């Protein structure tokens, strides 16, 4: 290894010598760009604002808008005199400064984007050919949100291939030797651009849709002698991309074609396994293929996404780890040179020199591999490699400025990164010795798992692929249970297995549970599969008045002991229940798929939420459960603490059948109340499963009682019952208001004023600002409106568009809706399934007819499954705020689009309903964002994201007005609704003497002492 290190250093110094012969600053464009980048490297806050401004600029049409945004992003005095003066000048003459700013940013883009279209790029490629540099061309474009977008992308790839083949017909390989391995025309293809509905849980569906489009492109590439490379993007699509590559190039038509390649990203922890699997596949195939080895360009995205979802992060946390892995993968590639052609994509001279040295050690000719570098970057390194006799290829993106912004920002981030090689060499003049060090020497032992990515809950027997490594955290921090990551085949297989096992239990009968005893009744309520209504998922015993009375009696009898049970014991009960749900996670998700028609990811999110409710409320009760000193006063102890209210009646809906039922019931139990829980009639089996979980966790008899039956019978009876002290309800406005009214009547013999926790519906709006990223706005809106068939109280019902961008949004919204996968959610990857039952089916269809009479039907899906309660995703336009479809909750996949003049009118319309549950705003204007934060009437306001998907502890959930009583499920103050505050004051003075110190917290007031 020492000999290899010496060779690496020798070759690295040679590259540096050649680079220094033609010195060039990191930012080759002088003036405006160079100054901004230099400031970015000094000031992280400025860099963030600059890149955000660059991102929004192409969507701004008028000079006033440009200068307005400039002022919003850079009006802070802390950015220095240069920036401050520029902002002031721009405000004075906006009609001049606006176009100048756009021109300068366009110049920045042109440094990294090789051309706006195929004609543009040909001129660039000719220049590079004269410098003996080859090319691979990639298309930039807006986010693909529909199959229309995907088809347009496919046509652009075909046109680009034809143009490149025609214009380079007489070109030859710069090196000449082994040129058969390196066709002149090299096209890089982004798989995600060719199918809008890619879902990590369903790679088979993606392959089925992508393969036909790719075969057309591959056939033509073979005819014209071109090379096709499959690009690699986010980790979510990695496995699908690999499977697609192996599948299509194993077909008879392409099995013997060597001019195909794929990317391996060295910053991924599983990249070695993927590369070795590819090589084994290639040997079985028997034909050479290529691998472009890169470090990876989505580090920030992958780390953020993993942190949000609680997953093991797929990328290395330290740059030297990625560099070291790159070198290891380099060795694997070169050791298998007989079957795989390597392309090393790096600007790091150490990485490049290592590849050269190791190839030389193995006796591999320099003409049998190549180096690939990005257009607009590291020009001196490219020239040095050409001079050394190596094949060099430039990665050349082609596209307009607007869709190119995301690519430009990634390049700017790369150029200004603290750890970037180019910055170190060309901006900070770090020594060659330091830059050529073995990256393994630079890895910090304590830097493998940064603190922000650690989670806080310990779980038993966790699958490392699905869950994060969870450590302890401070008591005031809650880390959520991770979502199942359906990227992994293991997760997909477990879910399919659970679906098979649950299906075997169809038709089972479930008892009531009262006072710890299973109670069977003569009447059974069937729970049907809404996707296939003739399938009975299970039967629930139907409770009547007698069973309801028995449940109240059992709960009342259990209350005395449970209310005096130590907080710690109650909290541990919830944590045991959470652990059981974690263990049974796939099974419980499968029940939801069948019983309420939830897609895989939605079902898992619901189980995750139930788990989080248990753990979060256990944590919160430990915080609230210790009596706390009110003030430090000599001679007096005064402690504030809480008692439970009594018997709680929990009434839950079917749309979050485990999470909401569990959340309300566990809150009642952990606070020392005894609980009667009644699930919705449409989700009886889910309710029975939750009861099983708590029984296994060891809930004492009578503390939690399970009743299933008709709300009009047992529900109404228990709401009015004199011995029910608290009612926790989530459901419709109609039922909620009846409960609120009825609970206000004091019944004969009633001991307490009833507390009502009432969470109802919404008529939720998302406002799309004139400067919004349209692709993002479409994605968030489509998911918010049609995810789980719009059957969320938080779902998007009204999309409010400013007239300035109305046409731009609508021309992409309709095709996006038309591209949605509607079907049985038992299949992975389905987004839109059935509505819950026939009554809902008919009610929603009635609202669609109302919409047709009031507004314009802009879109309605037609291809629906023949069986089941499937409602077509539907969009209405020309909707006015006073129309019924704009005011009344529909609770289905129906979206109303309203056009408004400006943000003033948008807020007026958004706030103009009886509801205030969720609301959203899509914008890149800091001032407008702050205004909406202050003025949008909603319990949960979401900026630049979907308006659904609240997470326990992170997004305490609940609304006001006719959406609810102002409570926040999953919030720090939620448990207070289940408690009665109490203060105990003792005079501690005896004959003028008092204790010097009084503890801030004391033990619970329990008697007899436990």
């Amino acid at each position: 290894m020492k000999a290899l290190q010496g060779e690496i250093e020798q070759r690295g110094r040679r590259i540096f010598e050649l680079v220094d012969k033609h010195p060039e600053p990191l930012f080759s464009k002088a003036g405006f760009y160079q100054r901004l980048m230099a400031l970015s490297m000094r000031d992280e806050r400025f860099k963030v604002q600059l890149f955000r401004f660059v991102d929004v600029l192409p969507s701004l049409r008028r000079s006033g808008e440009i200068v307005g945004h400039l002022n919003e992003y850079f009006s802070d005095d802390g950015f220095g005199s240069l920036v401050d003066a520029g902002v002031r000048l721009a405000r004075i003459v906006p009609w001049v400064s606006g176009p100048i700013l756009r021109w300068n940013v366009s110049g920045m883009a042109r440094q990294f984007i090789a051309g706006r279209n195929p004609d543009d790029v040909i001129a660039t490629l000719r220049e590079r050919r004269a410098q003996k540099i080859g090319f691979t061309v990639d298309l930039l474009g807006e986010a693909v949100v529909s199959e229309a977008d995907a088809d347009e992308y496919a046509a652009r790839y075909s046109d680009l291939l034809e143009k490149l083949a025609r214009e380079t017909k007489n070109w030859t390989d710069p090196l000449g030797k082994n040129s058969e391995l390196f066709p002149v025309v090299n096209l890089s293809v982004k798989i995600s651009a060719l199918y809008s509905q890619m879902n990590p849980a369903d790679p088979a569906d993606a392959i089925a849709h992508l393969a036909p489009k790719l075969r057309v492109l591959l056939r033509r590439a073979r005819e014209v002698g071109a090379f096709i490379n499959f690009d690699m993007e986010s980790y979510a699509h990695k496995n699908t991309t690999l499977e697609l590559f192996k599948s299509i190039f194993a077909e008879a038509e392409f099995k013997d074609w060597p001019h195909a390649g794929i990317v391996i990203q060295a910053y991924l922890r599983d990249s070695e396994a993927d590369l070795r699997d590819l090589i084994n596949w290639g040997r079985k195939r028997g034909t050479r293929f290529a691998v472009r080895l890169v470090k990876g360009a989505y580090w920030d995205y992958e780390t953020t996404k993993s942190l949000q979802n609680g997953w093991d992060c797929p990328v290395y946390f330290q740059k030297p780890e990625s560099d070291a892995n790159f070198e290891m993968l380099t060795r694997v590639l070169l050791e298998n040179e007989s079957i795989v052609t390597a392309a090393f994509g790096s600007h790091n001279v150490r990485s490049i020199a290592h590849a050269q040295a190791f190839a030389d050690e193995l006796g591999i000719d320099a003409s049998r591999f190549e180096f690939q570098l990005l257009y607009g970057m590291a020009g001196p390194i490219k020239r040095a490699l050409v001079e050394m006799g190596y094949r060099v290829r430039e990665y050349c993106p082609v596209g307009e400025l607007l869709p190119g912004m995301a690519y430009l920002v990634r390049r700017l981030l790369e150029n200004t990164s603290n750890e970037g090689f180019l910055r170190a060499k060309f901006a900070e003049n770090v020594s060659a010795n330091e830059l050529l060090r073995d990256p393994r020497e630079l890895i910090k032992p304590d830097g493998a798992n940064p603190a922000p990515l650690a989670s806080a809950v310990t779980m038993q027997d966790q699958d490392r692929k699905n869950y994060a490594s969870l450590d302890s955290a401070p008591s005031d921090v809650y880390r959520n249970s991770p979502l199942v990551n359906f990227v992994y085949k293991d997760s997909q297989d477990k879910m399919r297995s659970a679906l098979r096992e649950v299906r075997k239990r169809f038709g089972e009968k479930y008892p009531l549970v009262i006072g710890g005893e299973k109670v069977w009744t003569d009447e059974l309520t069937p729970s049907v599969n809404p996707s296939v209504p003739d399938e009975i998922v299970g039967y629930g015993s139907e409770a009547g008045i007698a069973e309801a009375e028995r449940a109240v009696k059992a709960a009342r009898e259990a209350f005395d002991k449970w209310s005096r049970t130590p907080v710690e014991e109650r909290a541990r009960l919830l944590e045991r229940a959470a652990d059981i749900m974690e263990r049974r996670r796939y099974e419980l998700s499968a029940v939801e798929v069948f019983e309420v028609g939830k897609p895989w990811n939605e079902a898992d999110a619901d189980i995750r939420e139930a788990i989080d409710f248990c753990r979060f409320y256990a944590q919160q009760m430990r915080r609230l459960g210790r009596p706390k000193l009110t003030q430090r006063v000599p001679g007096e102890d005064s402690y504030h603490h809480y008692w439970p209210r009594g018997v709680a009646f929990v009434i839950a809906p079917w749309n979050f059948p485990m999470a909401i039922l569990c959340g309300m019931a566990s809150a009642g139990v952990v606070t020392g109340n005894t609980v009667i829980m009644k699930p919705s009639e449409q989700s009886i089996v889910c309710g029975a499963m939750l009861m099983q979980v708590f029984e296994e966790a060891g809930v004492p008899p009578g503390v939690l009682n399970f009743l299933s039956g008709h709300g009009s019978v047992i529900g109404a009876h228990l709401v009015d019952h004199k011995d029910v002290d608290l009612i926790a309800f989530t459901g419709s406005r109609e039922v909620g208001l009846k409960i609120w009214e009825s609970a206000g009547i004091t019944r004969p013999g009633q001991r307490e004023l009833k507390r009502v926790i009432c969470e109802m519906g919404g008529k939720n709006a998302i406002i799309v600002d004139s400067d919004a990223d349209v692709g993002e706005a479409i994605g968030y809106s489509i998911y918010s409106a049609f995810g789980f068939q719009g059957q969320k109280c938080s779902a998007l019902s009204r999309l409010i568009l400013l007239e300035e961008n109305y046409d731009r949004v609508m021309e992409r919204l309709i095709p996006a809706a038309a591209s949605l996968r509607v079907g049985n959610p038992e299949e992975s990857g389905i987004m839109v399934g059935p509505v819950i039952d026939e009554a809902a089916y008919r009610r929603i269809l009635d609202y669609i007819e109302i919409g047709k009479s009031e507004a314009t039907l802009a879109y309605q899906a037609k291809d629906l499954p023949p069986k089941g309660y499937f409602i077509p995703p539907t969009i209405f336009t020309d909707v006015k705020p006073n129309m019924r479809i704009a005011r009344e909750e529909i609770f289905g996949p129906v979206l109303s689009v309203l056009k408004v003049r400006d943000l003033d009118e948008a807020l007026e319309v958004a706030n103009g309903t009886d509801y205030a549950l969720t609301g959203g705003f899509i914008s890149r204007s800091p001032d407008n964002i702050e205004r909406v934060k202050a003025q949008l009437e909603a319990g949960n306001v979401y900026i630049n994201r979907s308006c659904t998907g609240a997470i326990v502890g992170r997004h305490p959930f609940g609304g006001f007005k006719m959406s609810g009583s102002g409570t926040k499920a999953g919030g720090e103050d939620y448990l207070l609704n289940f408690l009665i505050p109490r203060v105990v004051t003792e005079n501690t003075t005896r004959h003028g003497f008092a204790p010097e110190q009084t503890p801030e917290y004391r033990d619970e007031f329990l008697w007899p002492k436990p």
Side-chain angles (χ1 to χ4, degrees):
M1 264 325 228
K2 286 184 178 179
L4 180 62
Q5 175 63 20
E7 186 66 20
I8 292 169
E9 291 175 1
Q10 181 179 336
R11 289 174 179 271
R13 288 194 180 89
R14 176 58 180 155
I15 295 172
F16 284 135
E17 287 172 7
L18 293 171
V19 164
D20 292 340
K21 281 171 57 179
H22 306 284
E24 188 175 292
L26 173 56
F27 309 113
S28 56
K29 290 185 179 294
F32 174 84
Y33 177 60
Q34 199 166 26
R35 289 184 179 184
L36 285 182
M37 291 300 99
L39 183 55
S40 293
M41 290 190 290
R42 293 197 304 270
D43 188 333
E44 184 67 24
R45 194 166 54 95
F46 176 80
K47 181 168 78 172
V48 169
Q49 294 298 86
L50 173 64
F51 293 173
R52 287 182 172 179
F53 178 70
V54 167
D55 176 61
V56 70
L57 181 62
S59 68
L60 306 178
R61 292 165 179 74
R62 296 187 296 273
S63 294
E65 289 180 310
I66 296 174
V67 175
H69 279 70
L70 181 77
N71 185 57
E72 290 177 35
Y73 279 105
F74 299 106
S75 59
D76 192 314
D77 292 335
F79 290 137
S81 57
L82 172 67
V83 176
D84 187 44
V87 172
R88 286 202 309 272
L89 178 63
R91 286 200 297 260
I92 295 169
V93 284
W95 59 92
V96 175
S97 52
I100 290 174
L101 280 166
R102 189 186 294 277
W103 183 81
N104 272 298
V105 173
S106 297
M108 290 166 62
R110 284 191 293 271
Q111 176 165 342
F112 302 109
I113 299 173
R116 292 173 300 169
N117 52 50
D119 291 324
D120 263 5
V121 80
I122 289 297
T124 301
L125 302 185
R126 287 197 179 99
E127 292 176 8
R128 294 300 186 267
R129 183 190 177 211
Q131 299 165 12
K132 298 185 178 180
I133 294 174
F135 65 85
T136 180
V137 180
D138 172 37
L139 284 177
L140 299 176
E142 293 183 293
V144 170
V145 297
S146 69
E147 286 309 276
D149 290 347
D151 290 343
E152 181 182 344
Y153 240 113
R156 288 178 63 206
Y157 275 125
S158 294
D159 290 346
L160 179 59
L161 177 63
E162 296 294 339
K163 182 76 174 180
L164 291 173
R166 184 170 62 252
E167 294 295 328
T168 64
K169 190 172 183 180
N170 298 317
W171 293 16
T172 56
D173 176 73
L175 288 187
K177 192 175 182 183
N178 288 310
S179 59
E180 71 280 0
L181 301 178
F182 304 95
V184 170
V185 175
N186 189 306
L187 185 64
S188 290
V189 178
K190 285 187 175 68
I191 302 306
S192 66
L194 300 177
Y195 183 41
S196 66
Q197 303 300 303
M198 283 185 72
N199 188 312
D202 197 355
D205 171 77
I207 291 170
H209 284 83
L210 288 164
K213 294 179 182 178
L214 283 166
R215 288 188 191 105
V216 174
L217 188 67
L218 295 173
R219 286 186 192 114
R220 186 56 182 154
R222 190 168 188 175
E223 290 170 0
V224 300
F227 182 99
I228 300 292
N229 196 81
F230 284 22
D231 266 352
M232 197 65 74
E233 300 171 88
S234 70
Y235 190 74
H237 297 321
K238 174 189 69 93
N239 289 345
T240 298
T241 305
L242 287 166
E243 287 305 309
L244 173 66
F245 182 82
K246 291 187 289 187
S247 170
I248 203 164
F249 289 109
E251 294 174 2
E253 182 177 3
F254 303 110
K255 190 174 183 179
D256 62 346
W257 188 42
H259 296 149
I262 192 168
V263 170
I264 290 289
Q265 297 162 310
Y267 69 177
L268 294 180
R269 297 173 186 274
D270 55 7
S271 53
E272 180 184 2
D274 288 337
L275 179 56
R276 292 191 184 278
D277 180 70
L278 272 173
I279 289 169
N280 290 337
W281 165 84
R283 292 198 181 281
K284 291 176 185 175
R285 175 177 177 248
T287 304
R288 175 177 284 274
F289 69 103
V291 166
R292 177 198 294 154
L293 181 63
V294 301
K295 302 286 173 65
Y298 300 87
W299 188 91
D300 295 281
Y301 171 82
E302 300 294 359
T303 51
T304 300
K305 194 75 173 175
S306 298
L307 176 59
Q308 288 177 348
N309 292 327
W311 293 333
D312 272 341
C313 190
V315 299
Y316 290 110
F317 292 123
Q318 299 182 64
K319 186 180 182 299
E321 290 179 294
S322 297
D323 291 340
N325 194 48
F326 187 95
E327 294 189 6
M328 186 273 293
L329 298 175
T330 295
R331 294 192 291 273
V332 173
L333 281 171
L334 292 173
E335 286 166 351
N336 292 275
E337 195 278 333
S338 61
I339 193 66
V340 61
T341 301
F344 302 107
S346 178
H347 301 135
N348 186 319
V349 170
R350 159 75 200 199
S351 301
I352 293 169
H354 171 269
Q356 293 176 353
F358 194 74
D360 192 54
E361 185 176 282
L362 295 178
I364 298 171
D365 191 86
S367 63
R368 295 189 67 82
F369 57 91
E370 69 180 12
F371 294 102
Q372 295 191 7
L373 297 90
L374 295 171
Y375 175 83
M377 295 172 66
I381 296 176
K382 294 170 193 169
R383 288 194 294 269
L385 292 173
V386 169
E387 191 168 337
M388 293 171 73
Y390 288 97
R391 183 176 280 103
V392 176
R393 191 179 302 275
E394 241 181 7
Y395 186 91
C396 300
V398 178
E400 296 291 342
L401 180 61
L402 177 60
M405 278 301 106
Y407 178 84
L408 172 59
V409 169
R410 284 205 305 275
R411 296 289 76 81
L412 295 178
L413 283 169
E414 186 173 347
N415 268 341
T416 57
S417 165
N418 288 334
E419 296 182 306
F421 178 88
L422 293 181
R423 172 174 173 173
K425 167 60 182 170
F426 294 102
E428 297 175 349
N429 298 314
V430 175
S431 70
N433 286 343
E434 187 65 24
L435 293 173
L436 294 174
R437 284 182 65 185
D438 188 329
R440 291 172 299 182
E441 299 174 0
L442 305 175
I443 297 173
K444 300 172 184 176
D446 59 347
N449 190 19
L453 291 165
S455 299
V457 184
T458 302
M459 294 187 299
Q460 302 291 324
D461 301 321
Q462 58 184 315
D463 181 340
R464 294 285 298 175
K465 287 182 179 176
N466 294 333
Y467 307 124
S469 178
L470 304 176
D471 306 315
S472 296
S475 59
D476 62 340
V477 174
Y478 179 74
R479 305 289 184 189
N480 299 91
S481 175
L483 292 166
V484 166
N485 192 346
F486 287 111
V487 163
Y488 299 106
K489 186 176 184 300
D490 182 57
S491 303
Q492 299 163 20
D493 290 344
K494 285 180 178 178
M495 188 64 186
R496 291 192 180 93
S497 175
L499 289 164
R500 289 191 297 270
E501 291 303 312
V502 168
R503 179 173 280 283
K504 292 175 185 177
R505 304 203 307 253
F506 274 16
E508 282 191 9
K509 300 177 177 63
Y510 298 90
L512 313 174
V513 179
I514 302 174
E517 297 180 7
K518 291 177 170 53
V519 176
W520 300 91
T521 63
D522 294 335
E523 297 295 324
L524 294 174
T525 302
S527 181
V528 305
N529 179 354
S531 297
V532 188
D534 55 5
E535 292 182 349
I536 306 298
V537 180
Y539 295 90
S541 294
E542 188 175 310
I545 301 300
E547 288 76 28
E549 284 291 337
R550 185 175 167 185
V552 173
K553 184 174 183 292
R556 178 59 64 190
E557 290 176 351
F559 176 71
D560 186 60
K561 183 178 179 181
W562 185 246
S563 64
R564 302 295 187 266
T565 299
V567 163
E568 185 60 29
E569 188 174 328
R570 303 196 310 250
R572 286 179 180 174
L573 170 67
L574 263 61
E575 289 169 343
R576 291 195 298 273
D579 291 343
I580 293 163
M581 285 189 280
E582 199 81 70
R583 191 186 75 232
R584 298 178 61 180
R585 188 162 182 165
Y586 289 96
E587 172 203 357
L588 297 174
S589 293
V591 172
E592 291 202 7
V593 169
F594 287 123
E595 191 171 32
V596 300
K598 275 191 182 274
W600 286 19
N601 63 319
E602 299 276 0
D604 175 69
D606 193 56
I607 306 306
R608 183 257 201 126
E609 188 173 0
I611 292 166
D612 278 341
F613 274 134
C614 286
R615 290 179 174 149
F616 180 75
Y617 289 154
Q619 182 192 76
Q620 291 301 309
M621 195 60 218
R622 287 190 178 100
R623 179 178 63 86
L624 294 171
R626 298 172 65 196
K628 184 178 181 181
L629 191 69
T630 58
Q631 290 183 357
R632 294 192 181 278
V633 178
E636 183 178 279
D637 291 354
S638 194
Y639 282 93
H640 182 282
H641 78 123
Y642 299 95
W643 271 359
R645 290 184 172 273
V647 175
F649 179 36
V650 168
I651 310 166
W654 50 263
N655 61 331
F656 291 89
M658 290 289 288
I660 294 179
L661 183 63
C662 181
M664 295 190 294
S666 63
V669 167
V670 80
T671 47
N673 299 282
T674 52
V675 175
I676 302 166
M677 68 174 184
K678 179 198 168 300
S680 169
E681 293 145 60
Q682 293 91 341
S683 55
I684 292 171
V685 177
C686 287
M689 293 292 104
L690 182 62
M691 189 67 219
Q692 288 179 6
V693 166
F694 272 92
E695 287 180 304
E696 185 181 344
V699 67
V703 170
L704 182 62
N705 305 274
F706 172 68
L707 292 185
S708 57
H710 295 296
S712 58
V713 179
I714 61 171
H717 181 76
L718 289 172
V719 165
D720 294 344
H721 203 291
K722 66 181 179 64
D723 287 327
V724 170
D725 304 294
L726 180 147
I727 301 153
F729 168 80
T730 301
S732 71
R733 170 179 173 176
E734 178 187 9
V735 175
L737 292 180
K738 286 179 180 177
I739 290 172
W740 192 269
E741 181 181 5
S742 182
I745 300 172
T746 304
R747 312 291 171 178
Q750 182 175 322
R751 300 177 312 158
E752 298 276 354
L753 297 176
K754 292 182 190 281
R755 169 60 66 97
V756 178
I757 302 164
C758 198
E759 299 176 36
M760 299 181 287
K763 193 65 181 174
N764 312 299
I766 287 180
I767 301 168
V768 180
D769 204 355
S770 59
D771 68 348
D773 182 312
V774 173
E776 287 190 355
I778 298 298
Y780 295 141
S781 300
I782 288 289
Y783 176 73
S784 298
F786 302 120
F788 187 38
Q789 305 80 262
Q791 297 179 122
K792 303 177 185 179
C793 53
S794 58
L796 170 64
S797 181
R798 298 176 298 147
L799 182 62
I800 301 173
L801 304 179
L802 274 63
E803 61 185 6
E804 188 173 339
N805 65 359
Y806 180 87
D807 292 337
R808 288 190 300 138
V809 174
M810 290 306 302
E811 70 182 9
R812 300 189 70 196
L813 179 71
I814 300 299
S819 303
L820 290 171
R821 294 180 64 194
V822 181
N824 188 334
E826 188 176 355
E827 302 172 25
S828 56
I830 291 293
M831 181 172 168
V832 183
V835 296
I836 190 62
D837 59 14
E838 185 175 1
Y841 177 79
R842 297 196 179 283
R843 178 178 51 76
I844 298 165
L845 288 180
D846 286 346
Y847 266 110
I848 290 174
E849 291 305 310
I850 291 169
K852 290 177 181 177
S853 69
E854 291 183 323
T856 301
L857 179 64
Y859 171 74
Q860 187 170 50
K862 294 181 171 57
D863 187 15
L864 301 177
K867 296 175 70 176
Y869 302 123
F870 291 93
I871 294 284
T874 302
I875 299 175
F876 287 104
T877 54
D878 300 320
V879 178
K880 305 303 178 188
N882 62 342
M883 293 178 178
R884 288 184 65 186
I885 58 170
R887 292 186 292 107
E888 299 174 13
E889 188 176 30
I890 299 172
F891 222 66
V894 180
L895 177 64
S896 296
V897 182
L898 297 92
K899 184 195 292 187
V900 296
R901 293 184 307 277
D902 51 28
L903 187 55
D904 291 339
E905 186 182 1
L907 282 165
E908 182 182 344
V909 170
N911 294 339
T913 71
D914 295 341
Y915 299 95
L917 187 54
T918 72
F921 186 49
I922 313 297
S923 175
R924 289 180 286 190
S925 164
D927 283 2
N928 287 351
I929 287 171
E930 287 305 308
R931 179 184 177 186
V932 168
K933 286 177 182 178
Q935 295 184 340
L936 186 59
E937 294 177 5
N940 287 71
V941 175
Y942 296 108
I943 308 296
N944 289 325
R945 51 153 288 169
S946 66
C947 67
T948 68
I951 296 172
V952 173
R954 196 181 305 175
H955 316 121
F957 186 78
F960 51 95
K961 292 167 69 171
M962 287 297 115
S963 290
S965 54
T967 55
K968 283 292 187 183
E972 290 186 354
D973 57 358
Y974 184 71
L975 294 186
L976 297 179
N977 296 286
F978 294 78
L979 295 165
I980 296 171
R982 186 169 179 261
V983 175
V984 177
T985 303
E986 178 186 358
N987 175 11
T988 58
T989 303
R990 295 292 186 270
H991 304 290
F993 168 77
E996 291 185 7
Q997 290 187 337
T998 302
E1000 183 180 4
Y1001 292 94
R1002 57 151 288 161
D1003 293 337
E1004 299 170 70
F1005 295 112
L1006 296 175
W1007 193 268
K1009 292 183 178 180

